[in-house]
Amino acid sequence: MTQANWARLPVVKSKADLVYDSLRAAIAEGDLKPGERINMDELARNLGVSKIPIREAVKRLEADGLVVSRVHSGVAVAEVDAAEMRGVFLAREAIEGLVAGLAAQRVTDAQLAELEAVQQQMRGRLGTRSLQKLPELNSEFHRILAEAAGYRILAELTDQLLLTVRRHRIASPADPDNWAQVIAEHDEIVAALRRRDPDAAAQAAKAHINAQADHEVADKE
């Protein structure tokens, strides 16, 4: 049997991976809030694992900048530095403009259908004022867009920046008018993708990020 004929092994997540995924999701959803202390003993009991995978997951989260470990005070969810948010949106503008331009050249019909489906869900949630799921759906829209661009590193950077924005928004009240604007801005991106127009897609993505930066940052500076 040659190496070329080897079957790919199934991906099996370790306990540390599962703990990491669970904590990261809790941080993203605001179940664990910025500054909140993480009780390692209670977490181990609740998840039914030893402290070893907990420590491994915490190290990864610390490397991601999502938690901080301090002597004598334990592990806590990292605070979101409001002063850094302008930099976050500058990075998003550059990366998401690039992502959208690449996606316009590579997006498949199936991915376009996925983007449209997310948009429909967002419109439905907004129409019924069920706003709590909109941040997750927004992240899903940008995840599909980054996947269509075709580069894993761009998808990872997009995901990391979106997580920071979601954490920043946790303390802010939901704004239906802004979510309506987000959906309209997404529509502009999708329209450019359908035309397979890289320049228009990049400009639409940059305009979207700039508008959101003004909403999230300008009033708080």
Side-chain angles (χ1 to χ4, degrees):
M1 182 178 186
T2 65
Q3 291 187 23
N5 293 327
W6 286 359
R8 180 172 294 181
L9 294 175
V11 176
V12 179
K13 289 195 173 185
S14 67
K15 289 182 178 180
D17 290 333
L18 295 173
V19 173
Y20 172 85
D21 290 345
S22 178
L23 285 173
R24 195 175 188 279
I27 292 169
E29 297 299 326
D31 297 327
L32 288 172
K33 294 178 172 53
E36 184 174 345
R37 187 174 177 274
I38 298 174
N39 187 318
M40 307 283 273
D41 293 331
E42 182 180 347
L43 184 63
R45 286 195 300 272
N46 289 342
L47 295 178
V49 298
S50 71
K51 290 184 181 178
I52 293 174
I54 299 288
R55 291 194 195 100
E56 290 177 11
V58 164
K59 285 181 181 178
R60 287 177 60 188
L61 291 165
E62 194 168 11
D64 291 343
L66 296 177
V67 303
V68 291
S69 299
R70 297 190 179 96
V71 179
H72 306 308
S73 60
V75 178
V77 179
E79 300 278 1
V80 178
D81 186 349
E84 283 294 315
M85 289 307 297
R86 176 62 71 181
V88 169
F89 278 98
L90 286 171
R92 283 195 70 196
E93 179 187 359
I95 290 169
E96 301 230 19
L98 176 60
V99 160
L102 289 168
Q105 302 172 63
R106 305 177 178 196
V107 67
T108 66
D109 289 342
Q111 288 166 331
L112 283 168
E114 287 184 81
L115 290 169
E116 291 283 12
V118 172
Q119 285 287 87
Q120 287 183 351
Q121 290 182 65
M122 292 185 75
R123 278 188 280 268
R125 293 282 180 173
L126 182 62
T128 59
R129 288 298 191 263
S130 304
L131 306 183
Q132 67 275 10
K133 288 286 289 184
L134 287 175
E136 181 181 338
L137 289 168
N138 180 63
S139 293
E140 179 68 3
F141 179 92
H142 288 278
R143 183 197 66 76
I144 297 166
L145 187 64
E147 182 181 276
Y151 291 98
R152 179 178 55 82
I153 185 62
L154 293 177
E156 290 176 354
L157 290 169
T158 297
D159 183 59
Q160 191 68 23
L161 290 167
L162 277 167
L163 178 55
T164 303
V165 173
R166 287 180 69 179
R167 294 178 63 229
H168 176 67
R169 286 174 173 164
I170 285 169
S172 302
D175 182 347
D177 290 338
N178 185 61
W179 279 115
Q181 181 178 333
V182 166
I183 294 168
E185 290 161 1
H186 284 180
D187 283 339
E188 292 295 322
I189 296 170
V190 174
L193 295 180
R194 287 201 175 279
R195 297 195 305 271
R196 302 299 196 273
D197 187 335
D199 291 338
Q203 289 305 311
K206 289 180 180 180
H208 169 47
I209 301 306
N210 279 325
Q212 292 308 302
D214 288 342
H215 175 76
E216 293 289 338
V217 180
D219 293 338
K220 301 176 180 64
E221 291 181 330

